[in-house]
Amino acid sequence: MTRLKPLDLCGRAVTFSYEMRRAPTDFLESTMTLYTDIFELARRETTLEGEIPVKNLPQLLAFTATDAGSIRFTVTGMGERRGLPAAELVMEGDVELFCARCNQPVPVEIGSEAVFRFAASEEAANALPIEDDEEDEDVAVGSRHFDVEAWVEEEAILSLPRMVFHDDCEEGGGWQDEPEEVVEKPNPFAALAALKK
């Protein structure tokens, strides 16, 4: 407990006190987001590395079976590429997805490697000629307060496989619709045939 010096407010002495408390570690982990000046990182050709627990990536969690695993990344500045600051993002991680057959968690390794060129605004990115878009490069809107975590999360989502299965899951062993009961309808012409006799 720390006491502050008495203050004279309206002729009365008042003492304020406050207590310093450490935030729980899991709170700090879940609220800290990594930002960087992406233009400066590209210009200086510096490297940024990190690891983010899957439980801290809410958009990615919408696609996973559990919050287990983590995503590791390396961002490397590449100077300029065709007039724009550029950086390479290498991302890999392990997540648990739903098995398409039994609907139980399946451990899956994901990864991607891509080069990004950064425009200063959405308008500048849209103004780039289509032929300027190389197959091995993406164009993104950069900033001096660039959210690296959101960037890594988006790339992790894009690298998820469409469907995964356990090695030992039998095909057709998952959830299936129950066969519909076939009800035979009477033939409307049968009554006419009976009248004819």
Side-chain angles (χ1 to χ4, degrees):
M1 183 81 77
T2 306
R3 289 193 178 278
L4 299 179
K5 291 183 180 174
L7 301 174
D8 190 8
L9 301 173
C10 303
R12 290 176 282 183
V14 181
T15 303
F16 292 98
S17 63
Y18 67 95
E19 194 171 340
M20 294 288 289
R21 292 186 188 199
R22 281 187 68 109
T25 312
D26 59 344
F27 169 78
L28 292 173
E29 281 178 8
S30 64
T31 57
M32 289 175 69
T33 301
L34 177 62
Y35 293 93
T36 191
D37 182 340
I38 200 71
F39 301 121
E40 197 64 17
L41 181 137
R43 188 180 69 78
R44 290 185 179 203
E45 298 185 10
T46 53
T47 297
L48 180 66
E49 295 180 324
E51 185 169 358
I52 311 165
V54 169
K55 66 180 179 180
N56 293 355
L57 301 170
Q59 307 281 339
L60 179 59
L61 271 176
F63 296 91
T64 61
T66 70
D67 64 359
S70 64
I71 307 296
R72 296 164 297 286
F73 67 89
T74 304
V75 180
T76 308
M78 302 178 75
E80 263 193 21
R81 277 210 173 182
R82 289 176 291 131
L84 289 176
E88 180 186 45
L89 171 63
V90 178
M91 179 277 305
E92 63 178 25
D94 20 343
V95 297
E96 290 189 343
L97 303 177
F98 288 107
C99 173
R101 291 185 180 140
C102 70
N103 212 30
Q104 295 303 308
V106 184
V108 177
E109 288 183 8
I110 58 172
S112 73
E113 215 172 294
V115 173
F116 290 80
R117 294 188 306 140
F118 296 97
S121 67
E122 195 77 47
E123 293 77 24
N126 291 336
L128 290 170
I130 293 173
E131 60 271 11
D132 206 25
D133 241 355
E134 295 264 330
E135 243 181 66
D136 64 336
E137 292 178 352
D138 289 317
V139 175
V141 178
S143 82
R144 304 217 173 271
H145 195 65
F146 189 73
D147 189 340
V148 176
E149 203 169 280
W151 182 29
V152 170
E153 182 175 31
E154 186 176 332
E155 285 305 298
I157 291 168
L158 291 173
S159 71
L160 293 174
R162 270 178 15 123
M163 250 186 241
V164 293
F165 308 98
H166 288 107
D167 292 337
D168 56 352
C169 259
E170 290 181 25
E171 200 163 340
W175 179 85
Q176 295 177 348
D177 284 329
E178 293 212 3
E180 285 184 32
E181 197 177 314
V182 180
V183 179
E184 282 193 35
K185 294 182 181 175
N187 185 344
F189 298 106
L192 286 175
L195 288 174
K196 204 174 177 186
K197 290 179 183 177

